[in-house]
Amino acid sequence: MSETTAAQPSVRRTAAHDSAFLRACRHEPVPHTPVWFMRQAGRSLPEYHKVREGIPMLESCMRPELVKEITLQPVRRHKVDAAIFFSDIVVPLKAVGIDVEIKPGVGPVIADPIRTRADLQRLRPLEPEDVGYVTEAVGLLVDELGDTPLIGFAGAPFTLASYLIEGGPSKGHERTKAMMYGEPELWAELVDRLAVITAGFLKVQIEAGASAIQLFDSWVGSLAPDDYRRSVMAGSAKVFDAVAGYGVPRIHFGVGTGELLGLMGEAGADVVGVDWRVPLDVAAGRVGLGKALQGNLDPAVLFAPTSVVETKAREVLHAASALGTSGHIFNLGHGVSPSMDPDALTRLVAFVHEASAR
Ligand code: 1CP
């Protein structure tokens, strides 16, 4: 797949074009604030555990009918305003030949971490043929979803680099930062190769019919703004630039990124995802005019009584009113936890729809 931004086909106008979610991404008036949840598909749902039984995580991402079913489960149950494609940020790495496994209770584990210049050779660009199962699953989903939008996603270069360098989940990202600070040329090349893979993975999803994309830079909040600008931003900007021509909304999300929100918008996002630490009216000031915001109820609030959930959700809606009458997508400040009560999520969707009805 080409790395350039030139001459991309314009994507077909999907049935979801006028959905509340896509309208909010574009800052157009909405009948109610749209809601979806990061990690809405998966471990919080008993129906997910049932269909996944005995199938390893990454293998489940390669079975289009199963991907379709798991992606639809939270849409049916919670009546959320968007579906997010069931996959994982390490799927494109596996697709280009990296030996990666998702260990239950741990997360992605890389058999042979990337730490030297010679290791970089293992990160070739992703071709659509590498992920034919993604094209097939997105196609099945778009047919089934009708006017409900499908969000495609990928991991951003920094977050992917952390898994590849550390070899698995990490709290401090020490080896990752050691390369970033100590071997800036090697780091820049790694980030660039990951940007090419990520852009390729997003293009496949958009070409197959995804009507928005989200770039997850989950762990980039561990960086100071100057280091983000110097060492990370160009890679994420390259990803956004590569898909700009499709005209689908591009969402940019990370955890603990209060100090980075402005730069994350500048990297090329149309919508900036905000975790629960920064109120949306404050975030709006940091991100600047013209971009929509997504977020940002503390996921832990869902473990409190319904009345508390509703009070806190109302606070989020109130803070978002600083954006005007549109430009807000309600979400949690990070993903749904496995032990969350799914009924609490269903009630929250109904509450946000009702409380924001215009
Ligand atoms: O056995 C299982 O059920 C595996 C659990 C699981 C699931 C359901 C993993 C392992 N990934 C997923 C699916 C997944 N991953 C989705 C599905 C769509 C949805 O949101 O409903 C998405 C969007 C992801 C993206 C993802 N994977 C991110 C970014 C989102 C975030 O939460 O910040 C990250 C960091 C990963 C890595 C990963 N994959 C799985 C785990 C447990 C982790 C995190 C490990 C860690 O703490 O570093």
Side-chain angles (χ1 to χ4, degrees), residues 104-238:
V106 180
V109 175
I110 314 284
D112 194 1
I114 301 275
R115 290 176 185 162
T116 66
R117 184 159 295 280
D119 292 335
L120 290 187
Q121 301 311 316
R122 285 150 53 201
L123 292 168
R124 64 160 176 85
L126 178 132
E127 304 295 341
E129 306 77 67
D130 296 321
V131 287
Y133 48 87
V134 170
T135 301
E136 191 183 334
V138 171
L140 292 173
L141 273 163
V142 170
D143 287 346
E144 188 84 23
L145 281 163
D147 56 11
T148 301
L150 177 68
I151 304 168
F153 76 91
F158 178 83
T159 291
L160 291 178
S162 171
Y163 287 108
L164 285 170
I165 297 169
E166 309 288 340
S170 155
K171 284 210 164 69
H173 314 284
E174 286 88 353
R175 281 177 183 269
T176 310
K177 291 184 177 187
M179 186 195 288
M180 188 184 88
Y181 293 127
E183 299 175 275
E185 285 173 15
L186 178 62
W187 170 259
E189 200 178 319
L190 171 61
V191 163
D192 194 69
R193 282 180 185 247
L194 290 172
V196 173
I197 292 171
T198 291
F201 190 57
L202 291 174
K203 284 180 184 179
V204 165
Q205 296 171 72
I206 299 169
E207 299 251 357
S211 49
I213 57 98
Q214 177 156 320
L215 190 66
F216 281 98
D217 210 348
S218 301
W219 312 138
V220 79
S222 69
L223 295 181
D226 276 350
D227 292 315
Y228 180 83
R229 191 195 294 277
R230 201 175 293 128
S231 309
V232 172
M233 194 168 163
S236 300
K238 181 168 179 154

Side-chain angles (χ1 to χ4, degrees), residues 36-43 48-49 52 57 61 74 84-90 102-108 153 159 163 168-170 216-219 253 255 334-335:
W36 71 279
F37 302 121
M38 292 182 276
R39 302 282 191 118
Q40 64 190 18
R43 295 170 296 172
Y48 167 79
H49 289 286
R52 265 283 319 278
M57 173 61 196
C61 299
I84 179 156
F85 186 64
F86 181 76
S87 186
D88 192 80
I89 60 169
V90 297
I102 292 186
K103 296 221 160 113
V106 180
F153 76 91
T159 291
Y163 287 108
S170 155
F216 281 98
D217 210 348
S218 301
W219 312 138
F253 170 78
V255 183
H334 196 188

